[in-house]
């Protein structure tokens, strides 16, 4: 139970780390609608200044209007790619407008309407968002998930390259 609470807290931080562009605007940064900094010097200072510790995982958040066949396909994809996602420290979450969530604690931890607003998800859309360990949005896609593209996107990240240099894949056969 304690582990779920830690994951929930980390996921909340992941979800909110890049979701408050108004905070950055107050401090003189230019950010887009997803909270990404565009002032390279300030961004570098933020990440190297010692007061940002990063996240222990990457997140994929899948938004949908209801639990339907597309949600089932996404969940099946997470099972099929479980080893690769675990190896890449990816936590997956599904949250729907009608109250379904996976894992089930997500609906108790997050407010769907706030997340939809934070990530600029259009009403009725199936949208997934990949959040990196630095708390920023790395990739966004629609109803169907291309797991090869997700793994490729993650593997091209500098932090992931360092992880791969330290250890060989345990998912290869």
């Amino acid at each position: 139970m304690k582990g779920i609470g830690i994951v929930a807290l980390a996921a909340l931080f992941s979800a909110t780390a890049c979701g408050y562009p108004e905070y950055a605007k107050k401090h003189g940064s230019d950010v887009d609608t997803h909270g990404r900094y565009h002032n390279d010097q300030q961004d570098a200072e933020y990440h190297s200044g010692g007061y940002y510790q990063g996240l222990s995982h990457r997140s994929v958040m899948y938004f949908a209007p209801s639990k339907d066949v597309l949600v089932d396909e996404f969940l099946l994809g997470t099972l099929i790619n479980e080893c690769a996602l675990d190896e890449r420290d990816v936590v997956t979450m599904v949250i729907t407008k009608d109250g379904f969530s996976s894992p089930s604690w997500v609906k108790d931890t997050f407010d769907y309407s706030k997340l939809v607003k934070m990530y600029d998800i259009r009403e009725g859309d199936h949208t997934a968002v990949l959040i990196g360990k630095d708390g920023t949005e790395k990739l966004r896609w629609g109803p169907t998930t291309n797991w090869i593209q997700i793994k490729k996107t993650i593997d091209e990240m500098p932090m992931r390259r360092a992880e791969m240099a330290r250890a060989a894949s345990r998912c290869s056969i």
Side-chain angles (χ1 to χ4, degrees), residues 62-132:
Y62 190 90
F63 297 90
S66 63
K67 185 179 184 297
D68 55 19
V69 69
L70 294 169
V71 171
D72 290 339
E73 287 175 7
F74 177 81
L75 292 170
L76 179 61
T78 63
L79 291 175
I80 292 169
N81 292 282
E82 185 173 18
C83 184
L85 293 171
D86 286 346
E87 182 176 85
R88 289 165 176 81
D89 300 323
V90 177
V91 174
T92 58
M93 295 175 271
V94 175
I95 187 165
T96 68
K97 184 176 183 177
D98 69 358
F100 172 80
S101 69
S102 176
S104 59
W105 57 262
V106 172
K107 67 180 169 227
D108 299 325
T109 306
F110 299 110
D111 181 316
Y112 176 82
S113 61
K114 288 181 182 176
L115 286 176
V116 165
K117 185 177 179 182
M118 182 185 306
Y119 288 103
D120 195 26
I121 308 297
R122 290 193 317 232
E123 178 81 25
D125 279 0
H126 289 75
T127 304
V129 180
L130 170 64
I131 307 296

Side-chain angles (χ1 to χ4, degrees), residues 5-165:
I6 292 170
V7 170
L9 183 60
L12 178 61
F13 180 74
S14 173
T16 59
C18 64
Y20 294 102
E22 57 276 1
Y23 173 80
K25 286 179 184 172
K26 286 181 196 172
H27 293 87
S29 301
D30 294 326
V31 291
D32 62 19
T33 59
H34 302 292
R36 290 182 290 233
Y37 289 85
H38 292 287
N39 179 329
D40 292 337
Q41 181 179 358
Q42 185 176 14
D43 192 31
E45 290 171 7
Y46 176 72
H47 286 89
S48 65
Y51 50 90
Y52 177 74
Q53 299 301 315
L55 302 172
S56 63
H57 68 278
R58 298 169 182 93
S59 300
V60 172
M61 297 179 16
Y62 190 90
F63 297 90
S66 63
K67 185 179 184 297
D68 55 19
V69 69
L70 294 169
V71 171
D72 290 339
E73 287 175 7
F74 177 81
L75 292 170
L76 179 61
T78 63
L79 291 175
I80 292 169
N81 292 282
E82 185 173 18
C83 184
L85 293 171
D86 286 346
E87 182 176 85
R88 289 165 176 81
D89 300 323
V90 177
V91 174
T92 58
M93 295 175 271
V94 175
I95 187 165
T96 68
K97 184 176 183 177
D98 69 358
F100 172 80
S101 69
S102 176
S104 59
W105 57 262
V106 172
K107 67 180 169 227
D108 299 325
T109 306
F110 299 110
D111 181 316
Y112 176 82
S113 61
K114 288 181 182 176
L115 286 176
V116 165
K117 185 177 179 182
M118 182 185 306
Y119 288 103
D120 195 26
I121 308 297
R122 290 193 317 232
E123 178 81 25
D125 279 0
H126 289 75
T127 304
V129 180
L130 170 64
I131 307 296
K133 286 186 175 183
D134 64 356
T136 63
E137 183 176 314
K138 303 299 184 182
L139 187 65
R140 175 180 288 246
W141 63 96
T144 58
T145 301
N146 179 340
W147 293 102
I148 294 169
Q149 180 63 42
I150 305 267
K151 292 182 277 189
K152 180 180 176 194
T153 299
I154 293 170
D155 289 348
E156 291 173 351
M157 296 176 186
M159 198 175 297
R160 175 64 183 146
R161 287 184 182 178
E163 294 166 1
M164 291 186 300

